[in-house]
Amino acid sequence: MGEDIKTTGFTPADKARFAGRLAQETDLARVLFEQDKFSRDGHMVGFEVETWIVDHNYAPSSINQDVLETLDDPLVVPELSRFNVELNCAPFHLKGDALTQAHKSLTDLWTKCNDVAHQLDANLVMIGTLPTIRDSDLTIANMSPLNRYYALNQEVLRLRGGQPLHVNIAGRDRLASEHKDVMLEAATTSFQIHLKAPADLAHLYYNASVAASGPILAACGNAPFLFGKALWEETRIPLFEQAVKMPGPARVCMGSGYADHSLIEIFEENLRDYEALLPVAYDDQPEAMRHLRLHNGVIWRWNRPLIGFDESGAPHLRVEHRILPAGPTFIDMMANAALYLGLARTIAMSGEGGAGGLAFADAKRNFYAAARFGLDAKLEWPGEGEIAADRLLLERLIPDARAGLRDLGVAEADFLDIVEARVTTRQTGAAWQRKALEARGGDLYALMAAYCERQRSGAPVHQWET
């Protein structure tokens, strides 16, 4: 989904050609995997951060094209809405001080972006859902002017028979909203981690990523408000799932189960179960797997398998861990990355199919419980039964993550100290936002002023004063 397309509409011939190429490339991926042609090189990690552009009143500012043109940096790209951009960093070998290097790379890019935003009388902010956004801001007029977004919107509505999209979220309050486009998706901004692993281990990391998602999310919530309503600790989760809902299997989901033998199984499921949303016909050779990768790009599993290519041209497999919100600060996000990477390593290497003995149904229940209740969630865990999320993290999973980082050769344990302090103080970004809003008499704009001031400090959220 990272590149634009040349059309916003598709003919039956486009769809037939795409289906044929998709089947051919999926078969080829299976053959290449069986022939050991996928990369077995060591672990690498990369990151994406989706950010908001806001004006000086903390309302969304629809100027991403101006920001991108002024900045002119290939690592900063458009998002669905005109008030979002995405920052990327080049991948790092997962060893030594990789997270410190990534932290510096992203903060340097962030400073560069914000300098440009300031020239345009705006600011950037990292937060899961923007408390000051209004339902009326999420319209087609605020969609980034790229064909792929217009085509996506058109195809989602086509599959829905023209019926509007409905969002209904029951949390501390209840939110009901109806939209005739997919722009509700733009209200969800995330921090995404790409973990490239040797091909023969990739399915184990995928399974481990699914298993770990619940407890990780419990420690990292930063999206408690939308349209003036107090909803889930991670309102992004139900919002995104409902924002592109259409007939057939869910496009935004935890998936249907673990991978048994390889990640190719997930791409075969894509071919079997999902209608093509963007049936663009390319002339590339099948080895480029353009159609397979585009089809996968509009199936948003919370842990999404990806196929990419090494510098040598060899295909590789990686897992895109999509559950985490943007913010509150870069140090918090790197701490979240340390928790994910270390825990994924320990669980993947546990010898129980990569899932640490956690049933998929329990992993799925854990994920939604954590999204709704954060550190107050009750989770299921092998050897523990039902256990409070904070206790599970402090007593078992943070130590497991430390062991996993050591096993990978990553010397970044200080980042896990931040997670531990956050869980101990029970001050996630979501918890801070709720306390700060109450202290300001329900004034969302005053909340955002305080949030942005503390984000600029760079201090981890557990140290923020209300």
Side-chain angles (χ1 to χ4, degrees):
M1 281 299 293
E3 64 178 305
D4 204 11
I5 59 178
K6 295 181 180 180
T7 184
T8 60
F10 307 102
T11 67
D14 290 330
K15 295 174 183 178
R17 184 180 179 204
F18 187 91
R21 288 296 303 271
L22 178 61
Q24 178 187 20
E25 292 170 12
T26 305
D27 288 343
L28 176 62
R30 166 62 66 187
V31 169
L32 291 175
F33 184 84
E34 291 174 346
Q35 292 177 346
D36 202 21
K37 297 293 179 63
F38 274 84
S39 171
R40 289 201 182 199
D41 286 351
H43 303 73
M44 296 189 74
V45 65
F47 303 98
E48 304 173 27
V49 184
E50 298 167 350
T51 75
W52 295 84
I53 310 170
V54 297
D55 62 23
H56 291 295
N57 293 317
Y58 306 103
S61 181
S62 301
I63 60 167
N64 70 349
Q65 294 302 305
D66 295 328
V67 170
L68 293 166
E69 289 171 10
T70 305
L71 187 64
D72 192 24
D73 190 316
L75 292 175
V76 186
V77 297
E79 271 291 326
L80 175 62
S81 82
R82 293 174 185 260
F83 40 76
N84 297 127
V85 293
E86 177 187 287
L87 282 62
N88 297 268
C89 72
F92 293 89
H93 290 284
L94 191 52
K95 61 182 180 180
D97 64 347
L99 296 183
T100 296
Q101 292 181 58
H103 180 261
K104 183 179 187 306
S105 176
L106 285 168
T107 53
D108 287 350
L109 184 59
W110 174 258
T111 299
K112 185 179 173 183
C113 288
N114 240 330
D115 287 345
V116 168
H118 294 162
Q119 295 171 30
L120 298 167
D121 208 29
N123 294 286
L124 301 184
V125 62
M126 299 176 293
I127 191 168
T129 52
L130 184 69
T132 51
I133 197 169
R134 301 165 302 177
D135 205 337
S136 58
D137 294 317
L138 295 167
T139 68
I140 206 81
N142 277 325
M143 181 178 284
S144 290
L146 295 173
N147 286 338
R148 73 175 186 264
Y149 295 137
Y150 294 126
L152 175 68
N153 184 68
Q154 177 178 293
E155 290 301 295
V156 169
L157 293 176
R158 179 185 66 80
L159 288 172
R160 291 182 58 82
Q163 293 300 307
L165 291 143
H166 298 273
V167 166
N168 196 322
I169 303 171
R172 292 168 184 255
D173 299 327
R174 178 179 288 275
L175 171 68
S177 182
E178 178 180 292
H179 276 249
K180 295 182 179 179
D181 52 57
V182 299
M183 284 296 288
L184 281 165
E185 177 191 337
T188 69
T189 52
S190 62
F191 170 58
Q192 297 165 18
I193 305 170
H194 290 243
L195 173 58
K196 187 197 121 180
D200 58 322
L201 301 178
H203 71 293
L204 301 179
Y205 281 105
Y206 173 77
N207 294 346
S209 300
V210 171
S213 288
I216 290 172
L217 192 61
C220 304
N222 195 34
F225 301 120
L226 184 65
F227 305 152
K229 304 286 189 180
L231 300 167
W232 291 17
E233 296 295 273
E234 262 304 308
T235 300
R236 292 178 314 113
I237 304 304
L239 180 60
F240 192 12
E241 292 192 348
Q242 295 179 39
V244 289
K245 191 173 183 180
M246 61 197 86
R251 292 270 171 171
V252 187
C253 61
M254 283 295 282
S256 61
Y258 296 129
D260 292 328
H261 304 291
S262 82
L263 278 186
I264 306 303
E265 297 162 19
I266 310 299
F267 296 100
E268 291 172 334
E269 181 181 283
N270 290 352
L271 171 67
R272 182 179 65 247
D273 294 346
Y274 289 92
E275 181 173 343
L277 269 186
L278 299 178
V280 180
Y282 294 112
D283 294 325
D284 302 62
Q285 293 298 309
E287 289 75 13
M289 293 183 266
R290 290 283 297 277
H291 304 81
L292 178 151
R293 291 185 290 132
L294 178 60
H295 185 49
N296 186 58
V298 287
I299 301 167
W300 298 272
R301 291 180 181 86
W302 291 113
N303 293 279
R304 178 163 63 181
L306 298 175
I307 291 177
F309 296 90
D310 288 353
E311 291 184 0
S312 67
H316 69 240
L317 292 166
R318 66 183 191 269
V319 177
E320 183 185 28
H321 190 60
R322 302 171 50 81
I323 72 166
L324 295 167
T329 63
F330 279 105
I331 199 75
D332 283 305
M333 291 189 292
M334 288 299 112
N336 298 344
L339 178 62
Y340 164 62
L341 294 166
L343 192 52
R345 174 66 177 185
T346 293
I347 296 174
M349 297 296 103
S350 67
E352 299 182 81
L358 183 69
F360 179 79
D362 288 334
K364 187 173 178 180
R365 280 193 293 269
N366 285 349
F367 178 67
Y368 293 106
R372 182 163 186 175
F373 300 111
L375 291 172
D376 289 331
K378 302 296 184 184
L379 307 179
E380 286 288 330
W381 202 256
E384 305 288 347
E386 186 178 83
I387 182 172
D390 56 351
R391 191 175 145 217
L392 176 63
L393 285 156
L394 292 172
E395 295 180 3
R396 182 161 173 182
L397 299 188
I398 293 174
D400 282 353
R402 293 185 189 279
L405 292 182
R406 286 195 300 270
D407 196 34
L408 287 166
V410 176
E412 301 281 27
D414 288 353
F415 286 114
L416 287 174
D417 293 345
I418 292 169
V419 178
E420 187 169 20
R422 188 194 308 151
V423 176
T424 300
T425 60
R426 298 181 60 80
Q427 184 155 291
T428 63
W432 182 89
Q433 287 186 58
R434 285 189 283 100
K435 289 185 291 186
L437 184 63
E438 183 179 0
R440 287 159 181 78
D443 186 334
L444 293 169
Y445 297 92
L447 164 66
M448 281 307 302
Y451 182 95
C452 290
E453 178 185 0
R454 286 152 181 77
Q455 185 170 95
R456 284 192 294 270
S457 78
V461 72
H462 74 270
Q463 294 178 1
W464 289 11
E465 295 181 357
T466 303

